[in-house]
Amino acid sequence: MRKSMFSSIAVLLLVTGLLVAGAKPAADGDWSFNATIIEACSCPMFCTCYFNNAPAGHGHGGKTEHFCRFNNAFQVNKGKVGPVKLDGAKFWVAGDLGGDFTKGMDWAVLTFDKSVTPEQRQAIQTVLGKLYPVEWNSFTIAADADMEWKAGKDRSVARLDGGKTAEVVLNRNPGMTEAPVVIHNLKYWGAPRNDGFVLMPNEVEAYRAGDKPFEYSGGNGFMITIDLKASDFGS
């Protein structure tokens, strides 16, 4: 999901917080955030969004539609916003980037694991506004759900409500050796640092809730650990 499309949508990068109705993000200030994401999308491997102004085209009924329908399952390794510690917090962002990045992103839904506290939720939204500094046509917060998150060298799995709400299963991309295939020196959204995109095609990536459910298999998937902090943004 996504590329250094920042040059194409610079006019949209005016948002410093997510536009979430009813949410009150924690105040900026001293914060840091290091998290690993199990991520998959509907694009072919590797996601063309990172190198173009629009997602891959998908043919259906003689027509081609461009979209990038994604699931991003987060587990925070270490983080804090002010006094609020985020270590171990889990949350999920699913949605669709739409067909033209110059016009903003289509929709996204944020779901917290039931263990995340109200203070952590506000803090996470503050960080997400920096990580994904774009405008969404729709950004909502869903009801909490039990979240499974298990990362591995050969197979990684994340599920909401046991897969009833959402599911991502990734398998290691075969390389020349048993070591993972990793893309380095490629920016992930607004994060100034990452440890590389560990390529793991999806066995399944599905969002089964709401009025825009989707499910795909055999497409793009990767794991990545990102790192960002307030001073990266002049805070």
Side-chain angles (χ1 to χ4, degrees), residues 170-225:
L170 306 181
N171 293 297
R172 182 174 64 86
N173 192 81
M176 295 184 293
T177 69
E178 291 301 308
V181 178
V182 185
I183 296 176
H184 290 289
N185 197 33
L186 179 63
K187 191 170 185 179
Y188 181 87
W189 293 80
R193 292 170 297 280
N194 68 68
D195 68 351
F197 295 70
V198 181
L199 303 189
M200 302 181 76
N202 71 68
E203 180 179 308
V204 61
E205 78 107 2
Y207 189 70
R208 302 180 174 117
D211 59 356
K212 296 179 180 179
F214 58 80
E215 184 162 342
Y216 299 94
S217 63
N220 183 62
F222 60 85
M223 284 184 54
I224 190 168
T225 296

Side-chain angles (χ1 to χ4, degrees), residues 29 31 130 229-235:
W31 61 267
K130 302 295 186 179
K229 56 188 176 181
S231 60
D232 295 321
F233 304 88
S235 300

Side-chain angles (χ1 to χ4, degrees), residues 19 21 47 49 53 109 150 169 189 222:
L19 304 180
C47 182
C49 300
N53 294 330
V109 177
K150 185 176 182 179
V169 178
W189 293 80
F222 60 85

